[in-house]
Amino acid sequence: MADLVILPGSEANLPAEAAALVEAYQRASKADATVRAYRGDAALFEAWCVRFGFRSMPASSEAVAGFLVHEAEAGRAASTIGRRCAAICYAHKLAGHPDPTDNEAVHAAVKGIRRRIGTAPDQKAAITAEVLAAMLIRIPDTLTGKRDRALLALGFAGAFRRSELVALNVEDIREDKDGIRILVRRSKTDQEGRGMEKAIPHGRFIRPVLLLREWLEAAGITEGPVFRPVSRSGRLRSSGQVDHLAPRLTTQAVADIIKKYAKAAGLDASTFGAHGLRAGYITTAAERGADLVRIMDQSGHRDTRTVVGYIRRANAFKDHSGSGSL
């Protein structure tokens, strides 16, 4: 169950090499982060079933409902419980078994969980242009500092997801008289790799292009991953192989960097997450009257509702209905 790649019966007799290829393509149908999360969810469900005497594969709808309620009682967020349910469904479909989550008992349990614990997300603070400026001036002028300045500035200017930032290669950057153009080869909303281009202007205040150039020049990076680990002694870490195989920063490292400099700026680091740069760009653009379509061009959002949510928060006090009477 935990491996999530149990092949349907018709494929179980395939030669080992062919079965491995089928498994690889099944994995590729989901983003790597999703597969990792699903594996963990499946392992938790299997352990719960062992503990309480249920069968995990194929599972009964009663077992699934009981597990989800157990997770709710343990304080899990509604979004986490929803993902647990999706993982169980995905594993059963790959194994060729009926989906135990497609059952009224499970639907009722999920609905009840959502009503009882709520579905409101834990909204992290947006790193607006002003907040970002306060963070940048606290960064020391070391090799690590140059990387962190470039990471934060570029992450904001491109409204990048952290997964997109750590996946960037030097080869994805193209010079332009007005700044640089960056090719995002794959993203959360583009799992098939059609790619999208983001324009990053030179800027007058944050100056993301200049900060990126300073980092690449100081680190001597001419190809391969843009953002890489730096040792405590201040040296660029290497795999000992050719440059394009050099190690990358992890998505967790991006989150840690954001919290580090939020704290250095005297802010409550617990209120900032890795999504803060992306949210901050959208919020800042909305505050300054940028067009919705232009904001979505940069952020890569497909659903206007998400962006409109940021705009509403950014303009909550603008032309307030009670401003003339309160």
Side-chain angles (χ1 to χ4, degrees):
M1 169 86 182
D3 289 339
L4 291 180
V5 287
I6 303 172
L7 297 176
S10 60
E11 294 169 350
N13 297 322
L14 287 172
E17 185 175 339
L21 282 173
V22 172
E23 177 179 326
Y25 278 97
Q26 287 175 338
R27 290 180 186 275
S29 70
K30 298 286 184 184
D32 289 344
T34 302
V35 170
R36 287 194 297 271
Y38 277 14
R39 280 178 178 168
D41 295 334
L44 286 172
F45 177 58
E46 186 172 14
W48 183 89
C49 286
V50 170
R51 177 182 174 187
F52 292 99
F54 288 97
R55 185 172 58 180
S56 62
M57 180 65 74
S60 66
S61 57
E62 291 78 12
V64 175
F67 170 68
L68 297 180
V69 169
H70 176 270
E71 290 294 282
E73 290 296 303
R76 308 290 182 246
S79 58
T80 300
I81 293 171
R83 194 193 65 221
R84 301 261 203 267
C85 190
I88 295 169
C89 168
Y90 182 55
H92 278 73
K93 285 183 176 180
L94 283 184
H97 293 305
D99 176 12
T101 71
D102 187 17
N103 177 276
E104 187 56 38
V106 176
H107 294 166
V110 171
K111 188 174 182 180
I113 288 168
R114 287 177 173 270
R115 284 187 172 180
R116 176 168 290 190
I117 66 178
T119 59
D122 180 16
Q123 193 71 47
K124 294 293 186 180
I127 302 174
T128 60
E130 292 76 15
V131 172
L132 178 60
M135 294 168 68
L136 291 176
I137 62 175
R138 267 75 175 188
I139 301 179
D141 194 28
T142 60
L143 185 62
T144 301
K146 290 181 186 296
R147 179 203 65 194
D148 294 348
R149 276 200 296 263
L151 178 77
L152 295 177
L154 188 65
F156 175 86
F160 285 108
R161 297 179 177 88
R162 56 178 169 169
S163 59
E164 296 168 354
L165 274 175
V166 299
L168 286 180
N169 290 329
V170 175
E171 295 78 12
D172 300 328
I173 303 171
R174 186 160 60 87
E175 296 288 336
D176 188 281
K177 64 181 179 65
D178 295 315
I180 56 176
R181 297 175 184 268
I182 294 182
L183 175 63
V184 180
R185 296 184 181 275
R186 191 182 297 273
S187 68
K188 181 180 178 180
T189 56
D190 179 24
Q191 292 298 323
E192 295 181 2
R194 290 184 293 271
M196 70 169 291
E197 186 179 78
K198 295 194 177 190
I200 311 295
H202 290 293
R204 292 181 295 167
F205 306 106
I206 303 300
R207 300 181 300 169
V209 176
L210 175 64
L211 294 179
L212 178 62
R213 285 174 179 164
E214 287 181 351
W215 153 243
L216 293 175
E217 289 174 8
I221 297 174
T222 58
E223 65 172 333
V226 170
F227 295 111
R228 309 181 187 183
V230 177
S231 69
R232 291 189 177 182
S233 61
R235 304 184 68 176
L236 198 66
R237 289 184 180 170
S238 171
S239 63
Q241 303 177 33
V242 291
D243 208 34
H244 70 272
L245 295 178
R248 301 176 184 272
L249 276 188
T250 64
T251 53
Q252 183 58 50
V254 175
D256 293 341
I257 289 168
I258 289 172
K259 290 184 178 295
K260 175 182 177 180
Y261 293 113
K263 182 178 180 180
L267 304 168
D268 182 357
S270 67
T271 65
F272 292 91
H275 194 71
L277 293 170
R278 182 170 166 82
Y281 173 88
I282 298 170
T283 300
T284 301
E287 287 175 343
R288 298 179 183 182
D291 181 74
L292 172 63
V293 174
R294 297 296 290 160
I295 293 175
M296 293 179 67
D297 281 345
Q298 191 73 340
S299 69
H301 278 102
R302 291 183 176 179
D303 190 341
T304 59
R305 292 174 296 180
T306 304
V307 182
V308 167
Y310 287 113
I311 294 174
R312 283 178 176 165
R313 284 192 293 273
N315 295 325
F317 291 96
K318 186 176 182 180
D319 298 325
H320 194 286
S321 60
S323 59
S325 57
L326 297 177

